[in-house]
Amino acid sequence: MKPALVVIDMLNTYEHEDAAQLVPSVERALPAVVRLLEEARARGVPVIYANDNFGKWRSHHGEIVDAALAGPYARLVEPIRPDEDSYFVVKARHSAFYETPLAYLLGRLDVTHLVLCGQVTEQCVLYSALDAHIRHLSVTVADDAVAEIHEDLARAALRMMAVNMGARIVPAVEAFD
């Protein structure tokens, strides 16, 4: 299996109604996301950022990164900012696949396995895992590298990914094993 690391919605200004609930979870997940990025880059695994455009329909990835770095929570973005070798998919809905070129990119890279991290576990991570599954891609979710708004729903989402989609749910240190 050829893996890719998909970092979901971590480039964020946290200027939305759920931010107060989300930020503490992001703070807990951030070290594991950093670990995944370091390991993926060291192994030559493609890193793909799939990030919301926050309704700014004329934005591109550079503007999304710049806005997140200029925002009040830049400390949550700086350690995981994309490097020059990273790929970037701008998304407008929950799934990283929905009307984006992600499936095409994965095909061009011969990727058959996704390692997912990011936010929000019970929303965008769950829907991206489901869309990967229906495309016959295997999925690993680093459970310490995902952030949630609702802890109970996040636990249920991780269980659904494992039971219904056959996803491996493991800590970041085991994600590429």
Side-chain angles (χ1 to χ4, degrees), residues 6-166:
V6 180
V7 182
I8 301 171
D9 288 337
M10 289 295 290
L11 306 173
N12 198 314
T13 61
Y14 300 96
E15 295 172 337
H16 50 81
E17 65 184 56
D18 298 325
Q21 291 171 274
L22 179 58
V23 166
S25 183
V26 173
E27 290 171 333
R28 284 190 301 277
L30 189 60
V33 175
V34 170
R35 171 180 283 150
L36 286 170
L37 284 165
E38 290 171 349
E39 186 168 352
R41 290 172 176 150
R43 290 175 177 241
V45 170
V47 174
I48 304 166
Y49 289 80
N51 218 89
D52 199 298
N53 70 357
F54 304 106
K56 296 183 178 173
W57 293 103
R58 291 190 172 111
S59 65
H60 58 77
H61 73 280
E63 291 171 341
I64 293 169
V65 173
D66 291 346
L69 288 170
Y73 292 96
R75 64 185 167 76
L76 301 177
V77 177
E78 182 59 43
I80 57 161
R81 71 186 312 167
D83 66 10
E84 62 278 352
D85 294 324
S86 299
Y87 296 93
F88 204 100
V89 174
V90 177
K91 66 186 196 63
R93 299 296 296 163
H94 296 81
S95 173
F97 288 91
Y98 182 74
E99 298 197 8
T100 75
L102 181 58
Y104 180 78
L105 173 61
L106 296 173
R108 297 292 295 170
L109 297 172
D110 294 321
V111 167
T112 57
H113 180 80
L114 300 184
V115 176
L116 303 180
C117 66
Q119 58 182 297
V120 170
T121 309
E122 66 272 24
Q123 295 173 18
C124 300
V125 176
L126 173 64
Y127 301 137
S128 297
L130 175 60
D131 277 355
H133 174 71
I134 64 174
R135 287 168 174 79
H136 303 286
L137 297 164
S138 62
V139 174
T140 295
V141 178
D143 61 359
D144 55 346
V146 289
E148 74 275 343
I149 295 170
H150 304 284
E151 185 179 349
D152 60 331
L153 295 178
R155 282 193 311 271
L158 288 168
R159 186 162 184 262
M160 287 174 59
M161 288 182 256
V163 174
N164 295 345
M165 301 168 215

